[in-house]
């Protein structure tokens, strides 16, 4: 028995959470993923309050008015891609009263977010994906897993609106040896497609969020002596300050080494070479090199579908690579504004 329960960020993600909980509707609660991007991150930068999982925070009145204006005529909507942007576009479209079908070529939803939640310290993202599964099912969105959206298939459906949310893929730097057998992506390491046995020497190229979290995950799995290579003067500089504190604490408990001001100039079967701050070429021995140098939009499907109907929109990473916050924002507001 409790006299009071205090909730902070959880109420930003879902202001109605207490009512849902009191009515035993826990699965309906939109979760906070503790990313700090929309709330504390924007606050520290002087921006207005936002939320990675609740795209209408701070703009509730505008969203409600647009929901009213846009829900007058039922349309047939196709969403291609089941990452955060596609899931949110599908959710908002269905809330507007439209007939929505979502295609996801893999056997699960989530896109890159499904990979991001593999490390034990990122399981909050998995809760968000579970919420989308539950919510889209309850709303009646038809989700077709393991099914690609070919141009012929979509034409036969005669949609009024198409949202393309095909995400992004790892950027491969234009560097000699990048296609070597020992050079793999962070996503393939996290998913187990490129397993690296403990005891091997590992170098990770890129100290952004993906590179650092991959290093921490591998260390958690028993890997030791990981080296992270960063071309900039500061590691993970784009990460907001409050999250840096947590990462610093986690790194302090490991033997992960980070080399900054180190620009990779080539890969080989024994590791990689880089140019240091003094313009000297150095070599790092590594059995495996893991790429985490960013992502590029996947726009092949958009090019195939863009002329099927007058309203074809890109949302999420295939429009502009960003965080979950950016993807959900893109999916929600594009769906709300473009009908």
């Amino acid at each position: 028995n409790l006299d009071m329960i205090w909730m902070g960020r959880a109420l930003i993600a879902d202001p109605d959470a207490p009512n849902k909980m009191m009515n035993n509707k826990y699965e309906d609660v939109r979760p906070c993923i503790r990313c700090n991007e929309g709330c504390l991150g924007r606050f520290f930068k002087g921006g207005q309050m936002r939320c990675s999982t609740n795209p209408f925070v701070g703009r509730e009145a505008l969203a409600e008015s647009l929901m009213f204006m846009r829900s007058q005529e039922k349309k047939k909507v196709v969403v291609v891609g089941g990452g955060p942007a596609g899931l949110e576009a599908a959710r908002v479209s269905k809330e507007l009263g439209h007939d929505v079908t979502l295609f996801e070529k893999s056997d699960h939803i989530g896109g890159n977010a499904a990979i991001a939640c593999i490390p034990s310290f990122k399981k909050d993202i998995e809760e968000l994906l579970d919420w989308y599964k539950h919510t889209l099912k309850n709303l009646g969105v038809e989700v077709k897993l393991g099914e690609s959206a070919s141009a012929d298939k979509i034409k036969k459906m005669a949609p009024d609106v198409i949202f393309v949310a095909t995400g992004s893929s790892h950027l491969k730097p234009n560097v000699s040896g990048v296609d070597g057998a020992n050079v793999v992506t962070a996503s393939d390491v996290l998913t187990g497609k490129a397993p690296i046995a403990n005891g091997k020497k590992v170098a990770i190229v890129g100290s952004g969020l993906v590179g650092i979290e991959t290093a921490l995950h591998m260390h958690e799995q028993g890997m030791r002596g990981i080296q992270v290579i960063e071309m900039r003067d500061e590691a993970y500089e784009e990460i907001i300050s409050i999250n840096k504190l947590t990462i610093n604490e986690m790194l302090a408990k490991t033997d992960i080494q980070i080399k900054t001001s180190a620009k990779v100039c080539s890969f080989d079967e024994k590791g990689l070479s880089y140019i240091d701050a003094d313009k000297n070429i150095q070599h790092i021995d590594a059995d495996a090199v893991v790429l985490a140098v960013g992502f590029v939009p996947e726009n092949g499907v958009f090019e195939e579908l863009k002329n099927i109907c007058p309203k074809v929109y890109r949302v999420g990473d295939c429009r502009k690579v960003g965080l979950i916050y950016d993807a959900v924002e893109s999916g929600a507001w594009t769906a709300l504004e473009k009908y």
Side-chain angles (χ1 to χ4, degrees), residues 80-86 104-105 110-113 115 164-172 185 187-188 210 293-301 314-324 327:
V80 182
E104 168 52 51
K105 67 179 181 180
N112 285 334
I115 300 173
V164 180
T166 46
S168 59
S169 57
H170 272 278
L171 170 67
K172 279 194 172 184
T185 66
S187 292
D188 284 346
V210 174
V293 293
F295 291 79
V296 291
E298 285 285 356
N299 277 314
V301 173
R314 288 178 292 177
V315 294
D317 273 11
C318 72
R319 179 179 175 185
K320 183 180 180 182
V321 175
L323 303 171
I324 291 176

Side-chain angles (χ1 to χ4, degrees), residues 250-289:
M250 295 175 72
L251 286 172
K253 299 174 183 177
T254 75
D255 65 348
I256 296 169
Q257 299 178 31
I258 302 176
K259 295 182 183 294
T260 57
S261 303
K263 185 177 181 179
V264 174
C265 55
S266 66
F267 301 99
D268 58 55
E269 60 184 13
K270 295 183 179 180
L272 62 84
S273 295
Y274 68 92
I275 302 173
D276 65 18
D278 297 321
K279 309 300 182 186
N280 297 315
I281 296 179
Q282 308 286 352
H283 190 273
I284 292 178
D285 292 334
D287 300 303
V289 177

Side-chain angles (χ1 to χ4, degrees), residues 7 12 27-28 50 57 83 89 106 168 221 237 263 286 288 291 321 331:
M7 301 175 72
I12 301 173
E27 288 185 318
D28 290 347
R50 296 287 184 265
V57 165
S106 72
S168 59
Q221 298 300 306
E237 66 177 3
K263 185 177 181 179
L291 297 178
V321 175

